[in-house]
Coordinates of all heavy atoms in Angstrom, one line a residue:
F1 N 64.8 141.5 122.4 CA 64.6 142.0 123.8 C 64.1 141.0 124.7 O 63.2 140.1 124.4 CB 63.5 143.3 123.8 CG 63.1 143.7 125.1 CD1 63.9 144.3 126.0 CD2 61.8 143.4 125.5 CE1 63.5 144.7 127.1 CE2 61.3 143.8 126.8 CZ 62.2 144.4 127.5
G2 N 64.6 141.0 125.9 CA 64.2 140.1 126.9 C 65.1 138.8 126.9 O 65.2 138.0 127.8
I3 N 65.6 138.5 125.7 CA 66.4 137.3 125.5 C 67.9 137.6 125.4 O 68.6 136.9 126.2 CB 66.0 136.4 124.2 CG1 64.5 136.0 124.3 CG2 66.9 135.3 123.9 CD1 64.1 135.3 123.1
D4 N 68.3 138.6 124.6 CA 69.7 139.0 124.6 C 70.0 140.2 125.4 O 71.2 140.2 125.9 CB 70.0 139.2 123.1 CG 69.6 138.1 122.3 OD1 69.9 137.0 122.5 OD2 69.2 138.3 121.0
A5 N 69.2 141.1 125.6 CA 69.4 142.2 126.4 C 68.1 143.0 126.7 O 67.1 142.7 126.1 CB 70.4 143.2 125.6
E6 N 68.3 143.9 127.7 CA 67.1 144.8 128.0 C 67.3 146.2 128.2 O 66.4 146.9 128.7 CB 66.5 144.2 129.5 CG 66.1 142.8 129.4 CD 65.4 142.4 130.8 OE1 65.3 143.2 131.6 OE2 65.0 141.2 130.8
T7 N 68.4 146.6 127.6 CA 68.8 148.1 127.6 C 69.0 148.4 126.1 O 69.5 147.6 125.3 CB 69.9 148.5 128.4 OG1 71.2 147.9 127.9 CG2 69.8 148.1 129.8
P8 N 68.7 149.6 125.7 CA 68.8 150.0 124.3 C 70.2 149.8 123.8 O 70.4 149.1 122.6 CB 68.4 151.5 124.3 CG 67.6 151.8 125.5 CD 68.1 150.8 126.4
S9 N 71.2 150.3 124.4 CA 72.5 150.3 123.8 C 73.1 148.9 123.8 O 73.9 148.4 122.8 CB 73.5 151.2 124.8 OG 73.5 150.7 126.1
T10 N 72.8 148.0 124.8 CA 73.2 146.6 124.8 C 72.5 145.8 123.8 O 73.1 145.0 123.2 CB 73.0 146.1 126.2 OG1 73.5 146.8 127.2 CG2 73.5 144.7 126.3
L11 N 71.2 146.1 123.6 CA 70.5 145.4 122.6 C 71.0 145.7 121.2 O 71.2 144.8 120.2 CB 69.0 145.7 122.5 CG 68.0 144.9 121.9 CD1 68.0 143.5 122.3 CD2 66.6 145.5 122.0
L12 N 71.4 146.9 120.9 CA 72.0 147.3 119.6 C 73.3 146.7 119.5 O 73.7 146.3 118.4 CB 72.0 148.9 119.6 CG 72.6 149.5 118.2 CD1 71.6 149.0 117.1 CD2 72.7 150.8 118.3
K13 N 74.1 146.6 120.5 CA 75.3 146.0 120.5 C 75.3 144.5 120.2 O 76.1 144.0 119.5 CB 76.1 146.2 121.8 CG 77.5 145.7 121.8 CD 78.4 146.4 120.9 CE 79.8 146.0 121.0 NZ 80.7 146.6 120.0
C14 N 74.3 143.9 120.8 CA 74.1 142.4 120.4 C 73.7 142.2 119.0 O 74.2 141.3 118.4 CB 72.9 141.9 121.3 SG 73.3 141.6 123.1
A15 N 72.9 143.1 118.4 CA 72.6 143.0 117.0 C 73.9 143.3 116.2 O 74.1 142.6 115.1 CB 71.6 144.0 116.6
E16 N 74.7 144.2 116.6 CA 76.0 144.6 115.8 C 76.9 143.3 116.0 O 77.6 142.9 114.9 CB 76.7 145.7 116.6 CG 77.7 146.4 115.8 CD 78.2 147.6 116.4 OE1 77.9 148.0 117.4 OE2 78.9 148.4 115.6
T17 N 77.0 142.7 117.1 CA 77.8 141.5 117.3 C 77.3 140.4 116.3 O 78.0 139.6 115.7 CB 77.8 140.9 118.7 OG1 78.2 142.0 119.6 CG2 78.7 139.6 118.9
A18 N 76.0 140.2 116.3 CA 75.5 139.2 115.4 C 75.7 139.5 113.9 O 76.0 138.6 113.2 CB 73.9 139.2 115.7
L19 N 75.8 140.8 113.6 CA 76.1 141.3 112.3 C 77.6 140.8 111.9 O 77.8 140.3 110.9 CB 75.9 142.8 112.2 CG 76.3 143.4 110.9 CD1 75.5 142.7 109.6 CD2 76.2 144.7 110.8
Y20 N 78.5 141.1 112.8 CA 79.8 140.6 112.6 C 79.9 139.2 112.4 O 80.7 138.6 111.6 CB 80.7 141.1 113.8 CG 80.8 142.5 113.9 CD1 81.1 143.2 115.1 CD2 80.7 143.4 112.7 CE1 81.1 144.6 115.2 CE2 80.8 144.8 112.8 CZ 81.1 145.4 114.1 OH 81.1 146.7 114.2
Q21 N 79.1 138.4 113.2 CA 79.2 136.9 113.1 C 78.6 136.5 111.6 O 79.1 135.5 111.0 CB 78.2 136.2 114.0 CG 78.9 136.5 115.5 CD 77.9 136.0 116.5 OE1 76.6 135.6 116.3 NE2 78.2 135.8 117.8
A22 N 77.6 137.3 111.2 CA 77.1 136.9 109.7 C 78.2 137.3 108.7 O 78.4 136.6 107.8 CB 75.8 137.8 109.5
K23 N 78.8 138.4 108.9 CA 79.9 138.7 108.0 C 81.0 137.7 108.0 O 81.6 137.5 106.9 CB 80.5 140.1 108.3 CG 79.5 141.3 108.0 CD 80.1 142.6 108.3 CE 79.3 143.8 107.9 NZ 79.9 145.0 108.2
S24 N 81.4 137.2 109.0 CA 82.4 136.1 109.2 C 82.0 134.8 108.4 O 82.9 134.2 107.9 CB 82.7 135.8 110.6 OG 81.7 135.2 111.3
V25 N 80.7 134.6 108.3 CA 80.3 133.5 107.6 C 80.4 133.7 106.0 O 80.8 132.7 105.2 CB 78.8 133.0 107.9 CG1 78.3 131.9 107.0 CG2 78.7 132.7 109.4
G26 N 80.1 135.0 105.5 CA 80.1 135.2 104.2 C 79.1 136.2 103.9 O 78.2 136.6 104.6
R27 N 79.1 136.7 102.6 CA 78.3 137.7 102.1 C 76.8 137.1 102.0 O 76.6 136.1 101.9 CB 78.7 138.1 100.7 CG 78.0 139.4 100.1 CD 78.6 140.0 99.0 NE 77.9 140.8 98.2 CZ 78.3 141.7 97.3 NH1 79.6 141.4 96.8 NH2 77.6 142.5 96.6
N28 N 75.8 138.1 102.1 CA 74.4 137.7 102.1 C 74.0 136.5 103.1 O 73.3 135.6 102.7 CB 74.1 137.2 100.7 CG 74.4 138.3 99.7 OD1 74.2 139.5 100.0 ND2 74.7 137.9 98.5
T29 N 74.4 136.8 104.2 CA 73.9 136.0 105.3 C 73.3 136.7 106.5 O 73.6 137.9 106.7 CB 75.1 135.0 105.9 OG1 76.1 135.8 106.4 CG2 75.7 134.2 104.8
F30 N 72.7 136.0 107.4 CA 72.2 136.7 108.7 C 72.4 135.7 109.8 O 72.6 134.5 109.7 CB 70.6 137.0 108.5 CG 69.8 135.8 108.5 CD1 69.3 135.3 109.8 CD2 69.4 135.1 107.4 CE1 68.5 134.2 109.9 CE2 68.5 134.0 107.5 CZ 68.0 133.5 108.8
R31 N 72.5 136.3 111.0 CA 72.6 135.6 112.2 C 71.9 136.3 113.3 O 71.8 137.5 113.4 CB 74.2 135.5 112.7 CG 74.9 134.6 111.8 CD 74.4 133.2 112.0 NE 75.3 132.2 111.2 CZ 75.1 131.7 110.0 NH1 74.0 132.2 109.4 NH2 75.7 130.9 109.5
F32 N 71.4 135.4 114.3 CA 70.9 136.0 115.6 C 72.0 136.1 116.6 O 73.0 135.4 116.4 CB 69.9 134.9 116.2 CG 68.4 135.3 115.6 CD1 68.1 134.4 114.5 CD2 67.7 136.0 116.2 CE1 66.7 134.7 113.9 CE2 66.3 136.3 115.7 CZ 66.1 135.6 114.5
Y33 N 71.9 136.9 117.6 CA 73.0 137.0 118.6 C 73.0 135.7 119.4 O 74.2 135.3 119.7 CB 72.6 138.1 119.5 CG 73.5 138.4 120.7 CD1 74.9 138.7 120.5 CD2 73.3 137.9 122.1 CE1 75.8 139.0 121.5 CE2 74.2 138.1 123.0 CZ 75.4 138.7 122.7 OH 76.4 138.7 123.8
S34 N 72.0 135.2 119.7 CA 72.0 133.8 120.5 C 72.3 132.8 119.6 O 71.7 132.4 118.6 CB 70.6 133.6 121.1 OG 70.4 132.3 121.6

């Protein structure tokens, strides 16, 4: 919050996008949206 987004739906969407980025790297990884 405050860095990636400031509304609930957008903040959740940013986390979801980061999750897709983590999946694209491979299993058992994590990523920030930024």
Side-chain angles (χ1 to χ4, degrees):
F1 166 72
I3 296 178
D4 301 323
E6 296 189 356
T7 63
S9 57
T10 308
L11 194 59
L12 184 60
K13 183 64 177 177
C14 289
E16 195 171 16
T17 301
L19 177 62
Y20 294 150
Q21 293 172 349
K23 287 182 176 180
S24 68
V25 174
R27 187 170 173 172
N28 299 329
T29 58
F30 72 86
R31 286 293 183 270
F32 278 91
Y33 177 74
S34 165

